Structure formats: C-alpha cells, structure tokens
Amino acid sequence: MRSAQQILAEANVIAVVGASRDPSKPAHSVPLQMLRHGWTIIPVNPFVDEVFGVKTVPTLADLPEPVDLVDIFRPAADAVEIVRQAAAIDAPAVWLQTGIVSAEARRIATEAGMDYVEDRCLAVERAVGNLTKLT
C-alpha cells in the first residue's frame, strides 16, 4: 500500500465526493487548494451544478474520465457505499478526510486492492510534502 504522500504525488485527477459550494467548509477550501496547486479536481455532488467553477457530476459512476484518487467529504456511515462505488469504477485509491474513519470502508478498499487513507487532510499532506503539479 502506498503512503499518503505517494498517493498524492502520483495522482493527477481527484474526484471529490461531497465537494461543497460553501467557501467556509473544508469540502470547498481543500479541493480548491488542490486545484490551485495543479491537480485536476472533479467535484461529485448531486445537488449542485458546479463547485468553484468546475462542473459537478452526481455520482462516481458519472465521472467523465478515470481518476487516480477518490477523496471523501461525507460522514463515515456514507463512506462505506462510496468506497464500494470507487471499487466499481476501479479507482486505485480512496481517501477519507480528517475526522472520517470506517473499518468497513477500509475492509472494502483493501479487498478491492485500493490504497486507503483515512482521517487525514489532502491539503495538509500536500503542504507537508511541499507537493504541487504546477511547473
């Protein structure tokens, strides 16, 4: 299993499940920071048409291209089904944001051969590793 730093360094396209239009929420500011540092972000939210100027898709099954990482900003109870959906689209890795922990989601990801990170923040890991996709 790759480390959190390896997953981010090797990822280019990140699907963000639960991305928010509300700038005061981490589900908005974290993916926006990743976007500003050069990652391609695809917001997954069935309730809005766009987040930070990027068109949303309602579900992982609706993604227009393969992704390198599925980032989850949903409660732990929802994470189990989202990880199942990530496995169904052959996502190589899933990441549960800070405060989100699920033994069942971990089991599903492990059985599907996906890298798995939980209770960690993408933006913090990006900053700690001084990672960017900008040249």
Side-chain angles (χ1 to χ4, degrees), residues 58-123:
T59 70
L60 291 175
D62 298 308
L63 288 167
E65 63 185 287
V67 297
D68 303 306
L69 174 61
V70 173
D71 182 35
I72 300 172
F73 277 99
R74 299 290 306 143
D78 296 348
V80 172
E81 180 55 31
I82 296 165
V83 171
R84 281 192 186 105
Q85 292 172 19
I89 63 163
D90 294 322
V94 291
W95 187 301
L96 281 60
Q97 282 293 139
T98 305
I100 308 169
V101 176
S102 171
E104 179 69 3
R106 177 183 290 274
R107 182 190 65 75
I108 293 164
T110 301
E111 287 178 2
M114 291 186 285
D115 291 316
Y116 183 85
V117 176
E118 65 182 10
D119 195 21
R120 307 266 290 270
C121 178
L122 278 182

